[in-house]
Every structure is written in structure tokens, then in C-alpha cells.
Amino acid sequence: PGSAPDGTDDVTAALETARRSGFHRTHWAMLGHGALCRALQGRTGEAHELLDELVRSWLPVPALASGEWLTAATYAAALSDRGAIELIRQMLERVEHHTVWTEAAGRTVAAVTAGAGGDHRRAARLHTAAAGIYAGIPDVTDRFFSSCLAVGELRRGAEEDARLLAEIRAFTARNEA
């Protein structure tokens, strides 16, 4: 990651700015995306802490669980630990107005739970279902993330999906990733 002028990394600097902003949505978006950054960096303990802060700050405010932050938070939880995915599951139980993003997040939570229980085929189907929801929005990047999680579950179950792998490879080639 890059670093801010004072030497802190970009994620920490953005989190501090979001916390001071006074705007819930800005704060929640940065917590979700910051948690995803930390999870991708392998700093899953920090990701879990950010998700905990997100859930604690979101619960008392009557607001939608929006795609601005929910998807990133769910992926961060999926890449972190069972406690983190449990935080997202509990939050989703409190959602009063369901959207395509809450539906996709619910599929991801169920997929991670199934995979942790050893049912990799079911986990892959649920991740693929989430990818289908994102395809319908359309949200190409989140479809890609869900598809990657599906492939990981298939591999853990000693299976493969050539079509899904081809889609992932095409996405990475287009985006030079």
C-alpha cells in the first residue's frame, strides 16, 4: 500500500478521515473497504476489528445496508475468519429492507459457512448464485470476486469449472490484473 504524507499507510489515513467526517455512509464505506484491504493483505485480525466497528456503528442507525460498503465488508469477512462472517450474518438478520446487495451478501455468508463445514460443492453453488446476482445489477467486479470464491471452493472439493475459470481469466486479462 501507499502511504500518506505523515507516514501512515493509505488505508489508515483514509479510515481516520472517514471517522472524522461525521458522515455515516462515508465511515461505513471506508470501514468495509478498509477491512477488505486488510483481509487481502493477510491482516485478518485488523479486518475483523474494522468489521466489528462497522457493525457496531451501523446497528443503531436506521439505514439501508448498501452496496457502497456491504459487498466489500462481506468479502473481507469471507477472507478473514468465522467470527467475521458471523458478524455479517448477524447484521444481515437485522436488515429490514432487503436489496440485491443484501441477497448477494446472504449467499456469500451461507457459502462461507458451507465451505467451513466441508460442503465445498454447496459453497461453490452459493458463491456462484451471488455472482449471478451481481451479474444482474450489473456489477462486473463483484461478480468476479464471487466467482473467484466459487473456484476456490471447487478446488478445495477437488473439482473444477472450466467456464468459470475462463471468465475469471478473461476478467484478469482485461484489467491487467
Side-chain angles (χ1 to χ4, degrees):
S3 45
D6 67 358
T8 59
D9 71 87
D10 288 342
V11 173
T12 299
L15 281 164
E16 289 170 3
T17 300
R19 286 179 180 125
R20 288 190 312 267
S21 74
F23 295 102
H24 292 298
R25 287 174 52 179
T26 301
H27 184 208
W28 299 332
M30 191 53 225
L31 287 168
H33 288 274
L36 179 56
C37 288
R38 292 302 188 227
L40 289 169
Q41 293 169 336
R43 295 161 70 173
T44 57
E46 289 176 58
H48 188 133
E49 289 172 13
L50 293 172
L51 293 171
D52 184 59
E53 181 181 345
L54 169 60
V55 172
R56 282 185 291 107
S57 67
W58 177 80
L59 283 173
V61 179
L64 289 174
S66 96
E68 293 171 319
W69 52 267
L70 179 59
T71 304
T74 304
Y75 289 139
L79 297 172
S80 294
D81 56 48
R82 290 179 88 157
I85 206 70
E86 181 63 16
L87 284 170
I88 301 300
R89 186 191 65 74
Q90 290 172 2
M91 184 190 68
L92 289 171
E93 286 178 353
R94 306 276 296 271
V95 168
E96 293 180 15
H97 179 77
H98 290 275
T99 66
V100 290
W101 291 278
T102 62
E103 295 301 321
R107 300 289 191 301
T108 301
V109 167
V112 171
T113 302
D119 193 347
H120 302 294
R121 182 176 287 167
R122 180 169 185 269
R125 279 196 313 268
L126 288 162
H127 282 306
T128 302
I133 292 169
Y134 292 123
I137 292 173
D139 181 337
V140 177
T141 302
D142 290 320
R143 179 178 180 211
F144 167 78
F145 271 111
S146 288
S147 296
C148 287
L149 292 171
V151 166
E153 288 296 340
L154 287 171
R155 286 187 172 169
R156 281 186 277 289
E159 295 184 42
E160 196 168 288
D161 182 328
R163 180 196 54 78
L164 198 53
L165 281 171
E167 287 179 20
I168 291 168
R169 288 184 180 120
F171 178 91
T172 56
R174 263 192 328 273
N175 293 283
E176 299 177 9

